[in-house]
Amino acid sequence: MIRNTRAGYGLLAIALHWTIAALVVGQISLGLVMLRVTDQRLAFDLIQWHKSIGLLILALIVIRLAWRMANPQPRPLASLRRWEKTASQAVHRLLYALLIALPLTGWALVSASVLGIPTLVFGLFLFPHLPVGVSEGGEDFWRLLHGSLGFTALALVVIHIAAALRHHFILHDGVLRRMLRPVRRTKA
Amino acid sequence: MVERFPAIAVLLFLAASVQAAAAPSLSAVVGRYSIMTPGSSLFFAVPAVGGPGITGRFDRFDGRIDIPASSVEHARVEIIIYPDSVATGQKRVDDFLKSNAVFDTANERTIVFRSTHVQRTGEDTATIVGSLTARGRTFRETFHVRLAESGRGALRFHVEGRVLRSRYGMDVGTPIYSNVVDFDMNLAFRRR
C-alpha cells in the first residue's frame, strides 16, 4: 500500500503528490499576492514565507523523484488515447522540471539580490546563498526568469487540473481516482 | 548608590575635563547650543543573522542643549531626527525603511529624544536618560555620551546607544534582522 505497483500509485506517492500540489498552488498564489500588497511589512513577511515554502517544495520534489525511481511506474490506463498519453507524459515532465527550476531560480534571485536579505527557513535555520554574482543586473535577470517560469508553471498546473477534471467528470475513467486511493498489493 | 547630577553639572564637568589648559568658567559653558548638522553624523546599524545587516545614517536632524544659568536643574537636551532623510546607500532599502513597515514617514515626520536626567560615569563620560518618541510611542532610553571636544562656544559629543525597535512598532524582519538598533553619533553643538 505504501509502494507503487504497475497497477497504481502507493500511499507515499499519493501523499507527496497532494502535499506538493497544495504547496504549489499556495506558493503561486503567495507569489502573486506578495508583489501586489501595499503594506510593506506584510510584503516582507510574505516574501520570507515564499522563500521557505519554495525550499520545502524543492526538498519534497527531490524525495518524490527518488521515490519514483525506486518504485514501479504505474501503467497508463488502457482507455487513454495515444495523444493523451504523450500529452500527459510531456506535462508531467515539464512540471517536474519547473518545480525544480522554480526554487533554484528563486534561490539564485535571493542570492544575487543587492539587498542581501538572509533566508531563515521557517524562522528555524539559516539557508546559505548560492555563489552567484550580487548585482542589480543579476537580480533583474533572475527575477525575470523566476517570474516567467512561475507563470509557465501556473499555466501547466491549470492544464493539469483541467485534464484531471475532464477525465473524472467527462470521461469517467480512473485517472483521478488512482491518485486518490492507494493501490492494494495483490498476492501473486 | 550611584550619584546623580543635574544635566548642567555633568555638561560642565565634561567640558572642563577636555579643556585641559584652564577650567571653563560658568559663563563659558552655560548657554543655549544648537546642533551643527554639517559637523555632525548620526549613524545606525541593524545586525542580521548570516548577512551584512543594514547600516545607514540620517542626514537631517536638529538638536539643542539649553543650559539656563539661573536654574541648572532644568537643563535640557533635545534631538529631533527626520526619518525621511534616512540613507543606506541602497534606494530600495531607504524606501522600505520609509514605508509603513518601519518609519512610516508619510504619517510620522519626526523621531524625538528629550533628556530627563544625566548620570556621570567617568571623567568625560556620562549616560543621558530620556524619552524617545517614534511612531507615536514613547519609551525611556539611555545613551552613553563622551565629550570629544569643547571650546570657542562649541561642544562635540560622541554618543552611543542601543534601542529595541520592536517597542516602536518597527519589528519587521525579526529575527532575521536584530531587534536591537545600534546608534553611533557624533554631535557638534554651537552656542546660539
Side-chain angles (χ1 to χ4, degrees):
Chain A
M1 196 163 170
I2 299 291
R3 294 177 61 83
N4 296 350
T5 69
R6 292 291 285 163
Y9 293 100
L11 184 62
L12 187 58
I14 291 174
L16 282 168
H17 172 271
W18 289 110
T19 304
I20 292 169
L23 287 171
V24 166
V25 170
Q27 181 74 334
I28 292 174
S29 307
L30 191 54
L32 293 170
V33 169
M34 73 187 193
L35 298 177
R36 287 164 175 79
V37 293
T38 53
D39 184 333
Q40 290 301 298
R41 182 195 175 90
L42 177 62
F44 184 92
D45 290 339
L46 293 180
I47 290 169
Q48 304 320 306
W49 278 102
H50 188 76
K51 289 157 67 177
S52 294
I53 293 169
L55 289 169
L56 177 60
I57 290 173
L58 180 61
L60 289 175
I61 280 290
V62 169
I63 293 170
R64 188 167 176 196
L65 278 172
W67 187 248
R68 183 188 167 109
M69 286 188 278
N71 278 260
Q73 185 61 16
R75 281 186 298 269
L77 292 183
S79 60
L80 292 186
R81 280 169 283 188
R82 188 183 179 88
W83 73 267
E84 286 176 319
K85 290 177 188 171
T86 306
S88 166
Q89 197 173 50
V91 167
H92 279 105
R93 285 182 179 173
L94 267 173
L95 272 173
Y96 273 118
L98 280 170
L99 294 184
I100 291 170
L102 268 168
L104 289 179
T105 54
W107 189 6
L109 165 58
V110 169
S111 305
S113 171
V114 295
L115 301 181
I117 299 174
T119 300
L120 200 61
V121 181
F122 295 111
L124 297 174
F125 60 92
L126 198 62
F127 200 78
H129 285 172
L130 286 170
V132 295
V134 174
S135 68
E136 292 273 7
E139 189 177 350
D140 289 344
F141 167 77
W142 290 114
R143 183 184 295 109
L144 179 66
L145 187 57
H146 186 64
S148 304
L149 292 178
F151 282 110
T152 308
L154 174 61
L156 279 178
V157 166
V158 169
I159 291 169
H160 183 65
I161 292 171
L165 294 177
R166 171 178 170 267
H167 280 285
H168 191 72
F169 290 109
I170 297 174
L171 302 179
H172 304 290
D173 58 20
V175 167
L176 179 59
R177 267 199 305 276
R178 72 177 187 169
M179 197 39 97
L180 291 169
R181 295 180 196 146
V183 67
R184 292 184 183 280
R185 191 172 288 275
T186 53
K187 288 180 182 174
Chain B
M1 184 175 176
V2 179
E3 188 181 0
R4 291 184 175 179
F5 293 88
I8 180 61
V10 173
L11 290 170
L12 280 168
F13 172 82
L14 294 175
S17 65
V18 170
Q19 288 185 317
S25 67
L26 188 64
S27 61
V29 180
V30 166
R32 294 184 164 196
Y33 295 83
S34 292
I35 207 161
M36 294 188 293
T37 306
S40 301
S41 61
L42 207 161
F43 289 97
F44 66 88
V46 183
V49 290
I54 295 174
T55 56
R57 65 178 195 276
F58 294 101
D59 286 336
R60 286 199 305 122
F61 43 86
D62 286 327
R64 64 172 184 266
I65 305 174
D66 291 344
I67 310 171
S70 58
S71 180
V72 292
E73 65 274 12
H74 289 111
R76 278 181 281 180
V77 178
E78 182 181 72
I79 305 292
I80 300 169
I81 299 169
Y82 301 96
D84 64 352
S85 69
V86 69
T88 62
Q90 172 52 252
K91 185 181 180 304
R92 283 156 60 197
V93 176
D94 295 349
D95 291 343
F96 182 77
L97 293 176
K98 292 174 191 176
S99 77
N100 71 319
V102 188
F103 296 127
D104 192 19
T105 58
N107 298 302
E108 305 289 341
R109 301 300 170 89
T110 58
I111 296 170
V112 179
F113 175 79
R114 290 191 179 93
S115 67
T116 53
H117 69 272
V118 180
Q119 182 178 329
R120 176 185 166 185
T121 56
E123 196 168 316
D124 59 353
T125 58
T127 57
I128 295 183
V129 180
S131 58
L132 181 68
T133 302
R135 294 194 67 163
R137 304 180 192 189
T138 301
F139 290 95
R140 182 179 145 117
E141 302 291 355
T142 301
F143 290 91
H144 304 281
V145 180
R146 182 175 61 81
L147 180 64
E149 194 179 336
S150 72
R152 288 185 237 174
L155 302 171
R156 181 184 297 277
F157 296 99
H158 179 239
V159 184
E160 291 181 340
R162 310 185 89 191
V163 173
L164 294 179
R165 59 193 177 97
S166 58
R167 302 207 291 187
Y168 302 93
M170 302 180 190
D171 58 334
V172 64
T174 55
I176 297 172
Y177 291 97
S178 172
N179 188 23
V180 177
V181 182
D182 295 311
F183 282 95
D184 189 309
M185 301 172 265
N186 279 296
L187 303 178
F189 293 86
R190 181 167 48 205
R191 193 192 296 272
R192 279 183 276 171

